[in-house]
Amino acid sequence: DEAAARAATSAEAFKSMDRNGDGSISRVEATGPIAESFDDLDLNLNGGIDFVEFVYEKGSGRTSADVPK
């Protein structure tokens, strides 16, 4: 189904950018639009973008406090 295909595509994109395989995209690993939006995507301000942050809906008015733990 369409949702499963999007999830698989997101997972593959995340894996390809997470070059060291630690489960987080660092500022050094980030490229393209992810690099340009790094500070906005790093919702928990830990210096990396995890998969939840990577796929989290942007422009929703949500803040880092709303990110599922």
Side-chain angles (χ1 to χ4, degrees):
D1 81 19
E2 188 176 324
R6 279 194 311 258
T9 300
S10 293
E12 288 302 315
F14 183 84
K15 282 181 173 179
S16 71
M17 202 170 292
D18 179 20
R19 292 187 299 265
N20 66 2
D22 69 352
S24 180
I25 299 169
S26 68
R27 193 174 295 275
V28 172
E29 293 171 316
T31 60
I34 301 300
E36 294 168 13
S37 302
F38 191 92
D39 291 331
D40 294 327
L41 294 169
D42 181 17
L43 296 173
N44 62 5
L45 305 176
N46 69 348
I49 299 168
D50 62 29
F51 187 68
V52 171
E53 293 168 323
F54 185 77
V55 298
Y56 198 67
E57 181 180 342
K58 298 295 163 228
S60 65
R62 296 175 180 155
T63 67
S64 58
D66 300 316
V67 175
K69 304 291 186 241

